[in-house]
Amino acid sequence: MQRREFSAALAGAGALVLGLPAAAQGGFVEGTHYVRLSQPVPTTAAGKVEVLEFFMYSCPHCNAFEPALEAWAKKLPDHVVFRRVPVRFRGEPEGLHQRIFYTLEAMGLVEAMHRKVFHAYHVERQKLATQAEVEALVTKNGVDAAKFVEVMNSFGVQAKARQALTLAEAYKIDGVPAMGVQGRYYTSGGLAGNNERMLAVADYLIAASRKG
C-alpha cells in the first residue's frame, strides 16, 4: 500500500464513522476510491475531459493492466481525450523508457509498438537500458533504428519527458499504474480495489467532470 492509499483509507474510515454509506456517489467515495487534488492541474484538451494513465514500462502491474486499459480506451466517447504518461521515480533506465514512449508517439508507432515494448521487457527479459538495446528492439520490429534514435534524442522528445515529470509531480504520483481525470482527480488500483475497477472509477469521474 502506498502512502497516499493509507491516508485515503483513513479518510474513508472517517466517512463511515460519520454515517456516510459506502455506496454513496454511485458506489465510489471520495477519499476511499479516489482523491480530489488540492491543487487542480491544467489540462490540454479544451472542451473535453482529459484522462491520463501514468505508467512505467518496467512495472509488471502496468504490463498486466495494458490489455484491459487498451480495450477500455478504444470505447471512450468523443468528449474524452485519453493520454498515456510515462513516469520515472529514479534515473536511468526509466528516463530512457520515457523517451522510448514519446518517440513511439512522435513517429505514430504507439499502436504498433507499445505492447511490444512491454513484451520485450517482461517476457523476453530485455531491460532496454542502453541505446543499443533499444536499436535492436526497433530493428527487430521493422523500424528504422537510426531515425528512431534521432527522434529519441531530439529536443522535442526530451521536453515531453520533462513535462511528464512535472505532470506526475502535480498529480503526486507515487505508484503506477494510476489515472488522473480532468486535472482534478486521482485514482489507482490500490484505491479502487484492483486495476480493472480503477477503470470503473475513471468512468465515474469522467461523468462527474462533464457535469462540472
Side-chain angles (χ1 to χ4, degrees):
M1 179 178 285
Q2 301 289 351
R3 292 190 307 274
R4 180 202 300 273
E5 291 157 13
F6 178 71
S7 298
L10 291 178
L16 292 175
V17 170
L18 291 172
L20 297 178
Q25 303 297 317
F28 300 118
V29 180
E30 182 178 331
T32 300
H33 302 106
Y34 65 92
V35 174
R36 184 189 296 267
L37 300 180
S38 58
Q39 181 66 45
V41 179
T43 61
T44 59
K48 297 191 176 185
V49 178
E50 181 179 78
V51 179
L52 309 177
E53 185 232 1
F54 296 93
F55 78 96
M56 293 167 57
Y57 279 125
S58 58
C59 166
H61 302 293
C62 299
N63 178 50
F65 181 50
E66 183 59 30
L69 175 70
E70 187 176 277
W72 175 84
K74 288 179 178 178
K75 297 176 182 178
L76 288 171
D78 291 341
H79 65 267
V80 178
V81 173
F82 172 68
R83 291 198 293 131
R84 292 179 172 90
V85 182
V87 301
R88 65 178 172 90
F89 299 118
R90 296 179 294 274
E92 300 299 345
E94 293 173 5
L96 179 59
H97 293 175
Q98 282 185 301
R99 290 188 289 124
I100 289 172
F101 175 78
Y102 283 122
T103 303
L104 295 178
E105 188 176 72
M107 296 180 69
L109 295 172
V110 172
E111 185 173 351
M113 288 291 298
H114 185 57
R115 293 276 294 274
K116 291 180 180 179
V117 178
F118 274 121
H119 186 273
Y121 190 96
H122 295 281
V123 179
E124 298 176 352
R125 304 300 180 185
Q126 299 177 33
K127 297 307 179 186
L128 304 175
T130 67
Q131 180 173 302
E133 290 177 305
V134 175
E135 289 177 345
L137 172 64
V138 299
T139 298
K140 174 184 175 181
N141 287 281
V143 177
D144 184 331
K147 179 62 176 176
F148 192 91
V149 169
E150 178 185 350
V151 176
M152 188 170 69
N153 293 328
S154 69
F155 175 81
V157 163
Q158 294 184 53
K160 282 200 167 186
R162 288 193 296 270
Q163 290 167 6
L165 287 176
T166 300
L167 198 53
E169 289 173 358
Y171 269 96
K172 296 179 171 56
I173 300 300
D174 56 10
V176 289
M179 298 184 77
V181 179
Q182 197 58 7
R184 303 178 195 169
Y185 308 106
Y186 164 96
T187 188
S188 67
L191 291 170
N194 58 58
N195 285 337
E196 292 203 10
R197 195 163 187 240
M198 172 167 56
L199 296 175
V201 176
D203 283 333
Y204 166 75
L205 295 174
I206 289 169
S209 297
R210 198 177 189 205
K211 291 176 183 177

